[in-house]
Structures are given as structure tokens and as C-alpha cells.
Amino acid sequence: HPTPHPATMMRAAGAGFAPPSRAGSSSEANTPDGEQRLAHIIEMGHDYFRKAEYREALKKWQEAHQLREALLGPDHPDTARLLNSMGNAHNKLCEDKTALDLYKKALAIREKALGSEHSEVARSLSNCGIVLQKLGRYAEAVESHQRAILIVEQNRTLGPEHPDAARSMCDLADVYDECGQYKKALNCYRQALAVQQNVLGDGHPDVARSVVGIANVHMHCASYLRARELYERGLEIQEKCLGRNHPVTATTL
């Protein structure tokens, strides 16, 4: 099993499901109080995820998924959104095959319900690409990321200057870097960085991610002094935005 690329670990980026918590009935969920409870469970999952407590986040999202699927059915975009969140938790826990299965289920639902050019389809493709890279399936990863970029760039509401386009460009760069295609990697990281600095500002975690990606390429090309300068710049942004003890910051350290 290939060692995950450092920048891929920043995004996600095994074992099966923990048993879902027992939840209320679909009729209970289909009430204002039930919807409020469901939204609370989902938000609790996001809170745990932001604190890097991925196993606890997964439990909450599994509980919410059980309720949501009972209410709306297995093929609804809201059900796909929870499958995607569960995939994110498994991805962070390095349970890559489980994560990929969930991402692919979410992708299939979104393509059928929303159309193949929808922005949520692009997100699912990006997520699949991240895990495919971790599994060493590089050609499939490149294809997923390239398709995601195309969807975002051609989307009227998003376009090539949107942070989602830059994020997918970084994902593609990660694959190229891991495959030793350093020129392609550097070009992608630089494209992403230009958009991120323009749209998000110099102090955003996405900017740090691109800077660290460029540092990785310089390190792999034995440009050690330049790499160190860039690592220090990326680390400074991460410590300010995420804190010194966050797993992403620790990866750069």
C-alpha cells in the first residue's frame, strides 16, 4: 500500500462501519422537531470533524444517514451528502477502500439526480481521486481530478477562478508530484495558488496547502533551501489558521 502523499493527507485524506446508532423512525424525522434533531446530529458530526475527532464524527453521520435514508430514500442528493461526509471521515481515518466505496455511491446518486455537470458531482470526483491516489491507482486519480476541474471551470456559477477549481487543481498536482511528474505538479500548484491568493487572501489554509505542495516539489528536485523557505511560509499560515496541534500543521512540521 503506497505511503500517502503529504499534501493528500492535508485534504482527506480498511476497516468497515461502526454499527449505526439507533435512531428514530422516518415519521419522527418528517416533522419540524425531527428535522431540527437531524440537523443537530449532522452539525455535531461537523463539529467533531473540525476538531479532528473523526471516529465520533462518523458515528453522528451514520446516525443521521439512517434517518435521512428512511425519510427521503437511498437515491436523494441529501442522502448522498451524508454518504460523502461519512467517506470524508473514513478517508481521514485512512480506511481508504471504505471511503472510496462511499464516495462512489454518492457520485452515482448525484450524477443520476443532479446531472453529470453539477458542482456536487465535481466534489465527489475530487474525493474519489484523492482516495484513488492513496490506493496507488494514479491514472484513475488523474482522470477523476481532470473531470472535476472541467466541471467546475465550465460551471456558470463557479468558473476557473473559484476556490473549488483551485482545490481540484491542487489534488491533481499531488498525483503528479507523487508520480515524479514534477513540472506538471509545479504548474498545477502555481495555477491553484494564483487563484487562492486572489480570491481567499494570503492567510487562508488553502494557500498554505499550495505553498507546501510547491515546497514538496522543490524538495523532491533537491532544491532544499527554496523548499525550506516555502515550508516555513506554509507552516506560519497553518499555525495562525488551524493551530499548532492540528493534524494538518503536524504534517508540515
Side-chain angles (χ1 to χ4, degrees):
H1 187 84
T3 303
H5 188 278
T8 303
M9 292 172 68
M10 293 174 66
R11 264 305 296 278
F17 291 115
S21 306
R22 183 167 181 151
S25 67
S26 61
S27 59
E28 177 189 342
N30 195 17
T31 64
D33 285 347
E35 282 293 340
Q36 191 174 10
R37 175 173 171 259
L38 181 55
H40 178 65
I41 294 168
I42 293 169
E43 187 52 40
M44 284 178 69
H46 288 305
D47 284 340
Y48 280 125
F49 193 86
R50 283 189 286 267
K51 292 185 287 187
E53 296 179 30
Y54 303 124
R55 189 66 66 190
E56 294 304 314
L58 182 59
K59 288 176 184 175
K60 291 299 174 186
W61 287 332
Q62 285 172 333
E63 181 181 356
H65 175 260
Q66 186 181 30
L67 280 168
R68 182 61 84 202
E69 188 174 58
L71 179 62
L72 298 178
D75 298 323
H76 194 279
D78 287 352
T79 306
R81 195 169 290 116
L82 280 164
L83 288 171
N84 191 72
S85 295
M86 289 155 61
N88 289 342
H90 282 290
N91 185 12
K92 290 290 190 180
L93 292 163
C94 293
E95 297 167 356
D96 299 332
K97 290 182 180 178
T98 305
L100 184 59
D101 286 344
L102 288 163
Y103 287 150
K104 283 186 171 180
K105 285 178 184 176
L107 173 62
I109 294 168
R110 286 169 166 174
E111 285 183 313
K112 185 177 179 181
L114 303 172
S116 61
E117 304 306 313
H118 196 277
S119 60
E120 290 192 17
V121 170
R123 290 192 192 99
S124 287
L125 286 164
S126 290
N127 289 336
C128 287
I130 290 165
V131 180
L132 286 164
Q133 178 189 347
K134 290 171 72 180
L135 293 169
R137 294 161 61 178
Y138 300 122
E140 292 172 82
V142 166
E143 186 181 349
S144 283
H145 292 316
Q146 286 177 334
R147 188 179 158 203
I149 291 165
L150 191 63
I151 291 171
V152 174
E153 288 183 342
Q154 292 181 346
N155 187 295
R156 290 180 183 178
T157 3
L158 303 177
E161 299 300 310
H162 194 274
D164 282 1
R167 211 168 287 126
S168 291
M169 192 68 73
C170 268
D171 294 333
L172 180 58
D174 292 345
V175 184
Y176 286 140
D177 184 34
E178 193 166 307
C179 292
Q181 299 183 48
Y182 299 127
K183 187 175 180 180
K184 286 184 177 180
L186 204 54
N187 286 339
C188 289
Y189 283 133
R190 284 173 174 164
Q191 284 183 58
L193 181 60
V195 171
Q196 290 159 344
Q197 287 177 316
N198 185 45
V199 177
L200 303 172
D202 286 336
H204 195 277
D206 283 7
V207 170
R209 186 190 169 211
S210 293
V211 169
V212 170
I214 294 170
N216 289 336
V217 177
H218 282 291
M219 177 65 75
H220 298 149
C221 294
S223 302
Y224 300 122
L225 288 176
R226 182 61 178 146
R228 181 172 179 172
E229 290 171 5
L230 290 163
Y231 282 133
E232 287 173 351
R233 180 183 162 198
L235 183 60
E236 183 182 0
I237 298 170
Q238 289 166 350
E239 287 181 338
K240 285 180 182 175
C241 296
L242 305 172
R244 191 172 183 83
N245 296 323
H246 194 279
V248 168
T249 308
T251 301
T252 306
L253 283 168

